[in-house]
Amino acid sequence: MSQLNTSAPEAERTQGVDFLRARINQDNATGRFDSRVHTRFPPEPNGYLHIGHAKSICINFGLAQEYNGKCNLRFDDTNPVKEDTEYVESIQQDVKWLGFQWEGDVHYASDYFDQLYEYAEKLIMMGKAYVDELNAEQIREYRGTLTKPGIPSPWRDRPAEESLDLFRRMKAGEFEDGKYVLRAKIDMASPNIVMRDPTIYRIRHASHHRTGDKWCIYPMYDFTHCLSDSIEGITHSICTLEFDNNRELYDWVLDTLDVYRSQQIEFARLNLTYTVLSKRKLIQLVKEGYVRGWDDPRMPTICGLRRRGYTPESIRDFCSRIGIARAADSKVHYSLLEFCCREHLNAVTPRCMAVLDPIKVVITDYPEDKVEEFEQPLHPEDESFGSRKVPFCRELWIDRDDFREDPPKKYFRLAPGVEVRLRYAYYITCQEVIKDENGNIVELHCTHDPASRGGSSPDGRKVKGTIHWVSARHAVPTEVRLYEQMFSTESDSEIEEGKTFLDYFNKDSEQIVTAMAEPYLATMPAGSHVQFERVGYFCADPDGSAEHPVFNRTVTLKDSWAKIEKKG
Ligand code: ATP
Ligand code: MG
């Protein structure tokens, strides 16, 4: 795992803690926030949460827990066009599922619209904001570049009373979208382009999912976020690195209005290989039908991971292993997430048998109408899982891959004349291979040793292979969805010119097979985790039922990436 970025670089660590904890410890030592720790998780309700958000959730809620502090859940809902209550609900569900509870009620930036409006008027009266008539394109042109200072708008020095009058009329709905904006009056020559008179209010005649048609002007992120933090008494406002340049504006707004000052701190956003972590792209995959929905088991969304069979524990473990770095975006290999998942599922899942690529075995010396039941533990080490009865009869299914007519060296599974153990049941020996007219194997005729009942050796004789099986008479045909990585590219940087990420969508990322499952599996409710012995970890899908079970493959038993990388 040496290639993985699993921890913060040494330089960012102080006395064994990451830079965030170091900052908080320092603030607590100086009594800066009266030793309070109050964080927030501020999603915009314009999509479902993904694993990158889980990192932010674990940081914000985790710090609050660790320091006996508080963490708010606040919806950053200032863009009425893209936001929806469907997202508001799913986000709350996902945060809770991950195992966290926010402080008090859910907060919404839109709760503060009245207060934010008052602050905007105050800035105008202080001569620190003005109503501009340049359109979006002109504003961009006037803004200048990294090497060229900006040019002041002709309306920059409009008298405060005039701006105030226009701003009130903007609010009253007198103007169409884009006619005017309110801009902070800061510094058009600032080396930090964010500070060149940023727009803080714009006209948007759109219904808001909470405030309805009350407003037709909406505050911008940079104005809203810092003031929301201030209103809620947030101490450490932790955000991702792309807001580094915005911190100066964050501080400017709070200092200029002379209100309580929260501290913005940035950390590196999570990037995961072979997937995308951008709501815009994820929405596209959903809307254009590449996947089954936001909760498609291939999606890196929290609900997708849940449906796939990931557990909250495994996701939290992953977030703690990747650590927190301040510098450089961290790209983490998907295999680390799978590793964490296997670790947890190994401890918490019952074991059952299912055959994914079935081939019939007939035990020719076993009576036709006889049925035996083997009572078997559901977990090899943990008795608390209990047991289930596994029926056995003359005809069985085994996995096609567990038989070779011409076995290579060191192949210890079934082959002509070879004896293997059927897990829990009997030793069998393959006597005859039955083929159809095209030469395809259709049945294997075997004999069994009744003295090996239960799978134990009758006379100390050893068999090298143990294979899993399902009684043909009792088998439940089961839809099994096998999932692979969603993209063939490791990251965006590999996308060729003229192509988009969609060109790299892996069309084989979902394969459906009909497996033969032991009856116990059909009794498992949706969301149940299980290990198909020797095959992998699976999770019962809500599309399934007792009559038609559906299981998603969460993860294989072994790391399959090593192979892929080599092929690569
Ligand atoms: P996206 O780019 O997917 O649209 P976003 O940053 O716009 O994400 P928000 O809803 O604004 O999404 O994010 C809520 C919080 O989650 C923010 O504090 C944001 O910084 C954090 N966050 C979003 N994506 C990641 C990521 N990949 N890694 C870590 N934190 C993230
Ligand atoms: Mg955002």
Side-chain angles (χ1 to χ4, degrees):
M1 229 164 282
S2 57
Q3 82 278 16
L4 296 172
N5 179 0
T6 54
S7 61
E10 278 314 307
E12 293 176 3
R13 294 170 159 247
T14 314
Q15 293 164 345
V17 297
D18 59 72
F19 82 101
L20 278 177
R21 286 167 174 85
R23 289 285 291 271
I24 293 175
N25 291 345
Q26 196 186 339
D27 288 340
N28 285 349
T30 60
R32 176 163 176 208
F33 295 106
D34 306 322
S35 300
R36 281 185 312 121
V37 172
H38 197 158
T39 55
R40 86 286 170 265
F41 173 63
E44 187 181 351
N46 61 352
Y48 282 67
L49 297 184
H50 53 62
I51 184 82
H53 294 113
K55 175 177 180 179
S56 173
I57 290 170
C58 288
I59 291 175
N60 283 296
F61 285 92
L63 286 173
Q65 276 174 357
E66 212 174 300
Y67 286 90
N68 242 329
K70 298 171 179 171
C71 180
N72 290 0
L73 173 63
R74 182 201 314 142
F75 287 103
D76 214 329
D77 55 349
T78 54
N79 185 355
V81 184
K82 291 191 172 159
E83 294 160 6
D84 199 282
T85 42
E86 175 195 349
Y87 303 133
V88 169
E89 277 152 28
S90 75
I91 289 170
Q92 295 182 49
Q93 191 192 355
D94 288 349
V95 171
K96 282 195 206 154
W97 180 78
L98 280 172
F100 298 107
Q101 182 58 52
W102 48 89
E103 173 68 19
D105 293 335
V106 173
H107 297 262
Y108 295 85
S110 55
D111 288 343
Y112 312 133
F113 280 173
D114 285 304
Q115 230 167 322
L116 294 174
Y117 178 83
E118 295 300 322
Y119 282 132
E121 283 208 350
K122 191 169 165 198
L123 280 185
I124 296 171
M125 290 183 294
M126 293 167 77
K128 297 289 185 184
Y130 59 98
V131 169
D132 198 2
E133 300 182 27
L134 295 182
N135 62 34
E137 198 182 319
Q138 290 167 320
I139 288 180
R140 217 171 304 124
E141 267 168 39
Y142 279 57
R143 190 179 293 138
T145 63
L146 279 176
T147 51
K148 223 171 62 189
I151 305 161
S153 159
W155 287 279
R156 192 172 199 264
D157 291 318
R158 185 197 298 280
E161 300 71 47
E162 201 179 304
S163 278
L164 194 60
D165 173 60
L166 283 170
F167 189 51
R168 288 179 176 165
R169 288 164 62 195
M170 281 164 66
K171 178 185 176 229
E174 277 189 39
F175 312 116
E176 77 269 25
D177 288 5
K179 173 95 173 111
Y180 294 105
V181 292
L182 183 70
R183 297 178 70 177
K185 189 171 176 179
I186 308 179
D187 179 4
M188 287 307 291
S190 170
N192 181 357
I193 294 179
V194 173
M195 300 299 280
R196 295 183 189 168
D197 292 10
T199 298
I200 56 175
Y201 261 93
R202 59 181 171 171
I203 304 173
R204 260 290 152 98
H205 289 271
S207 270
H208 185 278
H209 71 107
R210 295 192 77 242
T211 58
D213 294 322
K214 175 172 176 191
W215 297 90
C216 62
I217 55 171
Y218 290 95
M220 303 296 284
Y221 172 88
D222 280 321
F223 186 65
T224 310
H225 202 87
C226 53
L227 285 166
S228 304
D229 284 342
S230 174
I231 291 166
E232 293 175 15
I234 300 302
T235 55
H236 303 87
S237 176
I238 300 160
C239 63
T240 42
L241 219 52
E242 66 276 18
F243 292 100
D244 197 19
N245 288 332
N246 302 57
R247 182 171 7 102
E248 197 179 344
L249 178 54
Y250 184 105
D251 293 345
W252 182 91
V253 172
L254 299 185
D255 288 348
T256 305
L257 287 165
D258 194 22
V259 292
Y260 167 83
R261 168 97 108 74
S262 317
Q263 178 63 52
Q264 179 183 306
I265 310 174
E266 309 83 25
F267 71 98
R269 70 166 41 226
L270 168 71
N271 292 301
L272 202 55
T273 57
Y274 298 101
T275 190
V276 290
L277 292 185
S278 137
K279 280 184 278 190
R280 188 179 54 77
K281 290 179 181 168
L282 294 171
I283 284 184
Q284 224 177 326
L285 292 170
V286 174
K287 295 247 155 98
E288 296 177 22
Y290 283 83
V291 293
R292 292 172 182 268
W294 282 103
D295 66 347
D296 184 290
R298 284 164 289 185
M299 294 277 274
T301 49
I302 304 298
C303 55
L305 290 165
R306 175 164 63 230
R307 186 169 174 190
R308 174 90 172 245
Y310 278 76
T311 56
E313 290 86 346
S314 58
I315 295 174
R316 293 200 303 263
D317 180 31
F318 171 76
C319 290
S320 103
R321 281 173 198 263
I322 58 179
I324 309 167
R326 152 99 181 100
D329 274 5
S330 56
K331 188 166 82 182
V332 177
H333 200 287
Y334 209 97
S335 60
L336 181 64
L337 184 57
E338 294 186 337
F339 169 82
C340 296
C341 185
R342 266 185 217 108
E343 286 269 297
H344 186 235
L345 289 180
N346 180 42
V348 301
T349 54
R351 270 62 166 169
C352 283
M353 294 196 288
V355 173
L356 264 50
D357 184 9
I359 179 168
K360 180 74 72 67
V361 164
V362 181
I363 315 285
T364 51
D365 57 353
Y366 193 87
E368 193 125 8
D369 49 4
K370 184 170 171 183
V371 175
E372 284 180 89
E373 275 184 333
F374 297 104
E375 175 100 25
Q376 290 304 326
L378 282 161
H379 195 282
E381 281 129 41
D382 188 342
E383 280 181 17
S384 68
F385 281 83
S387 61
R388 88 288 190 195
K389 292 196 168 81
V390 189
F392 182 89
C393 65
R394 189 173 195 260
E395 297 197 356
L396 313 166
W397 297 110
I398 68 162
D399 222 297
R400 194 167 286 275
D401 197 42
D402 281 337
F403 175 80
R404 289 281 197 293
E405 201 171 8
D406 231 344
K409 259 198 190 138
K410 297 211 173 149
Y411 184 85
F412 299 126
R413 292 168 269 170
L414 201 60
V418 171
E419 186 172 48
V420 297
R421 177 192 292 109
L422 290 180
R423 178 95 159 131
Y424 312 134
Y426 288 105
Y427 283 18
I428 60 164
T429 305
C430 179
Q431 307 292 359
E432 201 183 345
V433 180
I434 313 294
K435 297 183 178 171
D436 64 12
E437 63 277 15
N438 302 318
N440 299 316
I441 300 172
V442 289
E443 262 178 32
L444 302 171
H445 287 186
C446 302
T447 50
H448 78 300
D449 180 353
S452 64
R453 192 174 188 281
S456 58
S457 174
D459 51 9
R461 111 178 156 260
K462 291 225 162 64
V463 290
K464 284 235 167 89
T466 299
I467 63 175
H468 63 283
W469 52 274
V470 170
S471 160
R473 196 182 306 164
H474 305 90
V476 183
T478 296
E479 180 175 332
V480 172
R481 300 174 180 167
L482 302 171
Y483 292 110
E484 301 275 351
Q485 64 199 59
M486 196 156 50
F487 290 95
S488 61
T489 37
E490 192 181 287
S491 67
D492 278 1
S493 60
E494 290 171 25
I495 293 177
E496 283 170 42
E497 222 179 295
K499 293 196 168 178
T500 76
F501 76 106
L502 292 170
D503 294 310
Y504 296 87
F505 183 82
N506 175 9
K507 298 214 168 51
D508 297 326
S509 52
E510 180 187 79
Q511 284 181 42
I512 298 181
V513 299
T514 301
M516 292 299 175
E518 67 167 277
Y520 185 80
L521 283 167
T523 66
M524 291 186 152
S528 303
H529 304 275
V530 61
Q531 185 195 102
F532 293 177
E533 285 200 73
R534 301 181 60 228
V535 180
Y537 292 101
F538 291 77
C539 185
D541 192 83
D543 283 351
S545 62
E547 293 71 43
H548 180 82
V550 177
F551 279 86
N552 301 317
R553 181 168 69 199
T554 311
V555 64
T556 53
L557 285 185
K558 289 198 199 93
D559 186 354
S560 54
W561 291 94
K563 244 191 302 180
I564 294 170
E565 306 281 88
K566 247 186 241 158
K567 253 199 278 170

